Amino acid sequence: MPERIRLIQPPLVQPRYRQLTLPVVGALFASQGLEVEACDENVEDLDTSPVDLVGITCHVYNAPRAFELARGFRQRGARVIIGGTFATTAPDLVAPHCDAVVAGELEDVVEEVVRDARGDQLRGLYRASDAAAHKKPAPNAAPDWSLLETSKYFRFNFPLETSRGCRFACGFCTSGQLWPTPRTRPLADIERDLQAYDHGQVELVDVNFLNDADFFRSVLPVLKRAPIPGWLGQTTVADLEAPDLPERFADSRCRAVFVGLESIDADALKSINKDWNRAERFKGVVKRYQDVGVLVQAGLIVGLDGQNAETFRRTLDFLDECQVHAVSITYLHHNPGSPQFAKLQAAGRLHSEDWRDYDGTVPTIQPIGSSVAELERAVEEFLRQLYRPRSIWSRGVHRGTLRHPSQLAHHFMINLSLKTYYEESAADRRARYGGRRGPEKRLEKWLADGASALLERFWRP
């Protein structure tokens, strides 16, 4: 009868970025009386010592590594449970590689999973079946941060969840499958989790923290009272347009918001079911927030049909004109097991079926209107121009950063970090996803942690 579980996080696309998954999942299993230990392959070697029960979380791009780990532990007599985003969106593809799949929120089934494991009767699939459960406040056990050796991660962030889900249904996003009904968390739980704050900016890990804007207005005083240097999170242009929010955000020490711009082309936005997200609306949002010292980072989807070198030149001009804080790109991809993947596969338009490529950093779809090679060259030139010193400087110096000089330092730190991130080769990422971490970049961590600590000192209330 297992009384101990080892939780494993396979390599992630951002390897030293502190995540909420292991502390929350660990707390849930501990609530059922199990002794919990954690191993994060992003920062430490795999622990292969004997254990009866193993839990692995995975995305599609690190699923091959998760399956390899599962196979090894099962050969040594352990029973293996796999959960996470890929297990939720494609449980049939995950099931052959483990003893049990958890699809969806673990909170709904953890008691049943542990009971069955103790009775040596694990089922193949555990999925919350009570629709009423998804109308309750979003659950979340108090994260057990003792499971992570936080000194091994960049000290930039402290993850916090205030809600789950999003009311929009963008064509590239899986949040609707992960959280079919958007819900908020009790304020008391949010305040409880903030009491564990140690360092970095509070990062709201919600897929859209403004999905329930009235609720989030009640969260803002909680963030303002907390002894933190600031917070950041992800939301939409539509949700940021409320006229009272810029000043409220600034007053609560919001440092930056990430907004999915995706494209400045109306037809491209329509193709991903996001045609309400107009470029002119984004431009107005950037100005209103950055004027009060809240930086705005844009997310772009690349690889959409019809994109070419001219598309990226126009996009670069637009972003420079907006003086957007920073830009993240994601190549359009659809996960194996999804209807979109099957359709592309049938049409012969999949450029890669290597799951390790499905992390958004390389093209997996043959676009219409250009070759994959042309697309890659255009994206490479776009990033080179975007993260050249002149562009970083011109986008960073404006009314908001002149009024809040520490935000200018934050701007430079984030842009240099993204420049380094986009310079990592696809081959290096694939090697990491295979469990080969490579040499530790101590200088990079020292510089990043030093910059974060300095900014925390300036920002601390």
Side-chain angles (χ1 to χ4, degrees), residues 72-367:
F73 278 102
R74 293 176 87 187
Q75 288 172 350
R76 292 189 290 274
R79 281 165 292 171
V80 176
I81 304 164
I82 297 182
T85 58
F86 192 45
T88 298
T89 60
D92 292 345
L93 296 180
V94 175
H97 303 277
C98 58
D99 297 284
V101 175
V102 172
E105 298 176 336
L106 176 62
E107 291 94 339
D108 291 334
V109 297
V110 64
E111 182 177 354
E112 187 179 4
V113 169
V114 172
R115 184 186 67 235
D116 290 352
R118 284 175 167 151
D120 197 22
Q121 294 179 331
L122 278 173
R123 299 201 317 267
L125 176 65
Y126 293 85
R127 185 194 294 274
S129 58
D130 183 5
H134 294 289
K135 297 179 181 179
K136 300 175 183 177
N140 190 303
D144 182 1
W145 290 108
S146 69
L147 293 172
L148 303 184
E149 191 174 331
T150 57
S151 64
K152 293 182 177 180
Y153 302 86
F154 290 135
R155 66 173 290 138
F156 176 74
N157 73 320
F158 177 82
L160 176 72
E161 184 182 48
T162 70
S163 66
R164 291 181 181 176
C166 179
R167 68 191 185 281
F168 295 110
C170 303
F172 55 87
C173 186
T174 60
S175 68
Q177 293 175 271
L178 300 176
W179 305 286
T181 303
R183 288 167 295 156
T184 59
R185 294 187 60 218
L187 284 177
D189 286 0
I190 295 170
E191 292 185 275
R192 176 204 65 195
D193 292 355
L194 274 170
Q195 291 175 6
Y197 172 83
D198 50 7
H199 56 250
Q201 296 185 71
V202 168
E203 179 196 11
L204 306 184
V205 298
D206 314 29
V207 68
N208 177 6
F209 68 82
L210 277 177
N211 187 70
D212 185 334
D214 287 338
F215 167 76
F216 193 73
R217 286 181 174 88
S218 69
V219 175
L220 287 171
V222 175
L223 293 169
K224 182 179 178 179
R225 290 194 303 268
I228 61 174
W231 63 272
L232 51 86
Q234 172 178 291
T235 187
T236 71
V237 169
D239 290 311
L240 286 171
E241 289 184 311
D244 64 311
L245 288 180
E247 291 292 346
R248 285 176 178 256
F249 279 27
D251 185 56
S252 64
R253 298 188 302 282
C254 178
R255 301 303 173 190
V257 290
F258 177 92
V259 179
L261 171 61
E262 320 311 358
S263 174
I264 63 171
D265 182 76
D267 289 338
L269 290 170
K270 188 175 182 179
S271 73
I272 54 175
N273 198 31
K274 202 167 181 177
D275 48 335
W276 47 267
N277 193 47
R278 300 293 181 174
E280 58 270 19
R281 298 175 70 180
F282 175 83
K283 191 174 184 178
V285 161
V286 173
K287 177 170 175 52
R288 287 195 296 276
Y289 281 82
Q290 295 199 157
D291 277 354
V292 298
V294 177
L295 302 179
V296 179
Q297 179 174 344
L300 296 177
I301 300 291
V302 299
L304 297 169
D305 291 341
Q307 287 184 333
N308 53 36
E310 176 58 27
T311 303
F312 292 107
R313 281 193 289 270
R314 289 191 295 107
T315 303
L316 184 64
D317 290 343
F318 175 80
L319 296 170
D320 281 341
E321 183 183 354
C322 290
Q323 291 189 287
V324 70
H325 158 50
V327 179
S328 300
I329 67 158
T330 301
Y331 276 95
L332 180 68
H333 60 284
H334 296 291
N335 287 354
S338 68
Q340 299 97 321
F341 181 92
K343 183 178 179 180
L344 289 164
Q345 188 176 48
R349 289 190 57 197
L350 289 178
H351 175 66
S352 172
E353 295 191 49
D354 185 336
W355 289 4
R356 295 172 300 174
D357 289 339
Y358 284 70
D359 62 356
T361 66
V362 293
T364 61
I365 301 171
Q366 169 62 56

Side-chain angles (χ1 to χ4, degrees), residues 32-48:
Q32 301 303 309
L34 291 185
E35 178 186 344
V36 179
E37 55 188 57
C39 177
D40 185 349
E41 281 202 294
N42 293 279
V43 297
E44 59 192 335
D45 294 332
L46 178 67
D47 182 355
T48 58

Side-chain angles (χ1 to χ4, degrees), residues 8-76:
I8 302 175
Q9 172 65 75
L12 294 167
V13 66
Q14 294 177 311
R16 303 190 77 167
Y17 202 66
R18 192 162 49 160
Q19 305 282 331
L20 194 58
T21 305
L22 292 180
V24 168
V25 172
L28 287 168
F29 279 113
S31 72
Q32 301 303 309
L34 291 185
E35 178 186 344
V36 179
E37 55 188 57
C39 177
D40 185 349
E41 281 202 294
N42 293 279
V43 297
E44 59 192 335
D45 294 332
L46 178 67
D47 182 355
T48 58
S49 61
V51 67
D52 293 326
L53 191 61
V54 173
I56 305 174
T57 179
C58 73
H59 299 279
V60 61
Y61 63 84
N62 59 15
R65 175 59 176 170
F67 299 163
E68 178 187 5
L69 296 173
R71 182 168 59 253
F73 278 102
R74 293 176 87 187
Q75 288 172 350
R76 292 189 290 274

